[in-house]
Amino acid sequence: MTQILSADKAGVAQAAALLRQGALVAFGTETVYGLGGDATNADAVAAIFAAKGRPALNPLICHYPSADRVFRDVVSNPRAERVAEAFWPGPLTLVLPRRTDCAVTLATGAGLGTLAVRVPAHPSATALLVAAARPVAAPSANRSGQVSPTSVRHVLDGLDGRIAAVLDSGACRVGVESTVLDLSGAEPVLLRPGGVSRENLEACLGPVRLPGDESVMRSPGMLASHYAPALPVRLHATAVADNEALLAFGGVLAGARCVFQLSASGDTAEAAGRLFEGLRWLDSEAARLGAVRIAAMPVPDAGLGLAINDRLRRAAAPRGG
Ligand code: AMP
Ligand code: MG
């Protein structure tokens, strides 16, 4: 049985004690719920991969309570200083070279010479990271390949009985995963669109390149099929069939019987916050109504739309990867 801890002082202390013992604790952040384990403990890190059923070559993000703590484990540079100042705490992950005295086990970063690091912006997550007093590796708290969780119920749907506890800090504000920005090379590369928009990064750093094919090697986690609901997904829907459920954005298509509205006003930030809830809801409702597919209306690439479209493309990609 997985224990549900409330995000008060006692709950945070208990969650931190569990982490220090090598147990796994899911916790809420502003993006999605993370599945936390002591990043300095190889057994705890191995247990994260096992609980999720995650391939060992898909590296984990390490979480810290402050930028100061981050730069004890990875090598900083002027760009990293600038974005850390602008976006931390917040939904931005940086990929930077490991320091030679990095405390994080190599398995956390899937053996790579770089490490993905983040300072989350959520009071109980910060309290937990301070109390744990060590870097915490935390991928999203779902079974590998499934949709990321934005509530305790979602976490338990996938991981009940497989992890020691979950710290209940309510619904997640941003709702999509962090933006992953590689600052380990000559130019910044946006490995994964997420909670910080490309526009905002470029306002701070100048041009930020989207990855070419080489990044599939550099960021092994970027498998095509990921974030998948149970039903197949059809993209760019401008009409809806009788046997389809609709993921709507803006105006609802005529004739849709089973609808989840991401944002009636066409706001990409609101839509990002509702995306994973929507995919989960459509999965269960659509099955009840006999629908065989989710039709997703187009979302513009601006703002958090880039992250939404990335997740939808993966949800629609051929399965089996
Ligand atoms: P998740 O834990 O599911 O949010 O996924 C984290 C993602 O960050 C991975 O799947 C990778 O794509 C990316 N990532 C983590 N560490 C690295 C790294 N050292 N180099 C490149 N990409 C990374
Ligand atoms: Mg994930």
Side-chain angles (χ1 to χ4, degrees), residues 64-72 84-85 88 119:
Y64 298 82
S66 67
D68 279 0
R69 298 288 176 83
V70 166
F71 295 125
R72 289 184 198 173
E85 180 69 32
W88 278 349
V119 179

Side-chain angles (χ1 to χ4, degrees), residues 34-60:
L35 172 52
D38 179 351
T40 67
N41 174 337
D43 293 334
V45 171
I48 294 177
F49 284 98
K52 279 184 65 90
R54 176 165 169 128
L57 85 176
N58 188 352
L60 309 178

Side-chain angles (χ1 to χ4, degrees), residues 190-216:
L190 185 65
L191 293 180
R192 174 176 78 182
V196 170
S197 70
R198 183 185 187 184
E199 293 91 323
N200 285 344
L201 282 177
E202 292 193 323
C204 178
L205 281 184
V208 171
R209 197 160 66 77
L210 290 177
D213 289 345
E214 88 290 351
S215 68
V216 177

Side-chain angles (χ1 to χ4, degrees), residues 52 54 139-142 146 148 177 192 226-227:
K52 279 184 65 90
R54 176 165 169 128
S140 52
N142 52 277
Q146 293 179 356
S148 292
E177 298 86 345
R192 174 176 78 182
H226 204 50
Y227 310 102

Side-chain angles (χ1 to χ4, degrees), residues 6-33:
S6 53
D8 53 19
K9 222 171 163 192
V12 167
Q14 203 177 337
L18 285 167
L19 285 174
R20 296 170 72 101
Q21 287 159 24
L24 303 187
V25 179
F27 61 100
T29 74
E30 81 280 30
T31 58
V32 301
Y33 273 73

